[in-house]
């Protein structure tokens, strides 16, 4: 069996590379992991846990959800290459940075940003709905 990094699993006796469509998701996810973990370490060191919800959302929406999307889109390239996947990508990746910054500012007193926070949360939720629709429509057994 070919064991190079690009041929990660076998299919019907042959070797086959994973689709590259998930790679951008996985690289962005690990950037969010670094930011989320950095915030966690800073909260622990300072004993100031105000940013706890920002930390949790960066880790769970940024790291966990995006890494899962990357893995799913790698294993099921029909879903990863669809128009819905492209829409999901932009909804998720435009909403989360805005949401994280707005949430951090709102919980530290800038309540004027509540509408921005709400709008970014709606866009993030739309991204999740598009993700769900994509999986229901485009995940097929091969
Ligand atoms: C080295 C890595 C990490 C450090 C140092 C860290 C640190 C922390 C700290 C100090 C808190 C606040 C605890 C408190 O208020 O008593 C917290 C809460 C939390 N963390 Fe992390 N964390 C890390 C990684 C992660 C990861 C990878 C995830 C998710 C994938 C995560 C999800 C959460 C959640 C859900 C909460 C609770 C938020 C809340 O109650 O509002 N953390 N973390």
């Amino acid at each position: 069996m070919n064991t190079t990094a690009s041929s990660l699993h076998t299919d019907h006796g042959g070797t086959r590379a994973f689709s590259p469509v998930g790679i951008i998701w996985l690289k962005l996810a690990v950037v969010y992991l670094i930011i989320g973990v950095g915030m966690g370490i800073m909260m622990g060191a300072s004993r100031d846990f105000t940013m706890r919800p920002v930390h949790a959302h960066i880790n769970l929406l940024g790291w966990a959800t995006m890494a899962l999307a990357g893995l799913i889109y790698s294993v099921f390239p029909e879903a990863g290459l669809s128009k819905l996947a492209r829409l999901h990508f932009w909804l998720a990746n435009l909403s989360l940075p805005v949401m994280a910054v707005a949430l951090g500012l709102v919980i530290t007193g800038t309540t004027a940003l509540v509408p921005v926070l709400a709008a970014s949360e709606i866009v993030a939720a739309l991204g999740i709905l598009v993700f769900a629709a994509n999986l229901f429509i485009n995940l097929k057994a091969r």
Side-chain angles (χ1 to χ4, degrees):
M1 189 176 88
N2 185 344
T3 53
T4 60
S6 63
S7 57
L8 297 174
H9 72 160
T10 61
D11 188 38
H12 306 301
T15 58
R16 201 153 65 106
F18 270 121
S19 154
V21 293
I23 287 173
I24 181 76
W25 283 96
L26 290 166
K27 287 187 175 173
L28 282 171
V30 87
V31 170
Y32 281 114
L33 179 62
I34 291 166
I35 297 168
V37 163
M39 288 185 78
I41 291 168
M42 275 162 57
M43 286 193 302
S46 65
R47 315 299 298 160
D48 177 355
F49 304 118
T50 315
M51 289 293 161
R52 202 168 50 186
V54 182
H55 160 81
H57 282 83
I58 286 177
N59 277 327
L60 292 169
L61 276 179
W63 163 240
T65 308
M66 287 198 198
L68 270 176
L71 290 176
I72 292 168
Y73 287 157
S74 299
V75 176
F76 297 97
E78 300 87 344
L81 292 167
S82 70
K83 284 193 176 135
L84 285 173
R86 196 173 281 262
L87 181 60
H88 172 210
F89 179 86
W90 286 113
L91 291 174
N93 285 292
L94 292 177
S95 62
L96 184 55
V98 177
M99 188 174 147
V101 172
L103 181 59
L105 289 169
V106 166
I107 61 181
T108 50
T110 313
T111 50
L113 283 180
V114 167
V116 175
L117 176 58
S120 65
E121 288 172 344
I122 290 167
V123 176
L126 282 175
I128 298 295
L129 287 178
V130 170
F131 182 40
N134 190 21
L135 297 199
F136 275 104
I137 293 167
N138 290 312
L139 285 204
K140 296 182 181 98
R142 278 167 279 156

